[in-house]
Amino acid sequence: MNKPEIELLAPAGKWEVMVAAVDAGADAVYLGGKRFNMRMLRPDYNFSDRELEEACSYMHERGKRIYVTVNNLYYESELEELRDYLVFLDHIGADALIIQDLAIARLHREMGLGIPLHASVQMGIANEAAVDLLAQWGFSRVILSKNLTLQEIKAIHTSTRLGIEFFAHGDLCVSHAGQCYMSSFVAGESGNRGRCIKPCRWPYSLGTSPGEMKYYLAYNDLCLAGNMQELVAAGVESFKIEGRMRGADYIL
């Protein structure tokens, strides 16, 4: 059996970041449009429909892949607009959709779209049964929960034909796979609607140590650069870098 191609997947919140990622050697980028994605707080980031089309051409001309995030949870009233958006993304040649809401998978099936589906880390996929369900829904890749051990990743890989993607760098969330309502409680900005203000990343003081500010909810970040060989052996085919709201210097 041929060894799978190992993919380096970089975030791109702006055009110049996408270019920097390609120049730095990324095999693919993931990015979001101006609607229906999980990173919507900064209006100067994300891609217009025209920019998405141009980005697909730019990446494909260089032999690279582009994955578009459609990874919020959606209201029923949004489904008709979502239909049009999915047709558009399929038409411009995006290489995959990264989704959380199974309503998108249902629309994808009903509309007979050919664009591949990748299961977002926001789904919290952490066992073989969940991956098997996604295979039945027609997914081609699963982005596993950051909370998994090496042994758990390997067990999932040996039980499925789906591609395995895993975060190699980025935030480690205090909540399992980002299933958190803290931003909603603090500011009325829902993380499941692309509006998270990341209060888990703020410093806090405790009553026992007034005035001493520490990062109690974000005490560490994820960096698996030294574990790549073990992860490849466990079945990871795509290594993902977090940071769609960061500039080109972060990628470089």
Side-chain angles (χ1 to χ4, degrees), residues 174 198-205 212-220:
V174 68
K198 294 203 169 197
C200 62
R201 309 296 292 177
W202 302 348
Y204 294 92
S205 64
E212 185 179 6
M213 305 292 285
K214 293 185 177 181
Y215 293 92
Y216 293 101
L217 300 179
Y219 60 90
N220 206 353

Side-chain angles (χ1 to χ4, degrees), residues 24-38:
D27 302 297
V29 299
Y30 66 104
L31 48 80
K34 293 288 189 180
R35 46 190 172 148
F36 300 129
N37 94 81
M38 288 288 290

Side-chain angles (χ1 to χ4, degrees), residues 89-120:
L89 294 176
D90 194 34
H91 173 73
I92 64 175
D95 294 286
L97 304 177
I98 301 174
I99 74 169
Q100 175 186 187
D101 196 326
L102 284 177
I104 304 299
R106 183 182 295 275
L107 288 176
H108 183 278
R109 178 182 292 179
E110 290 176 354
M111 298 165 64
L113 299 178
I115 185 170
L117 296 178
H118 293 179
S120 172

Side-chain angles (χ1 to χ4, degrees), residues 29 37 52 89 114 119 121 143 145 172 183-184 193 197 213 231:
V29 299
N37 94 81
L52 284 173
L89 294 176
V121 71
I143 306 164
S145 169
L172 275 178
S183 181
S184 295
R193 298 289 297 171
I197 62 172
M213 305 292 285
L231 287 162

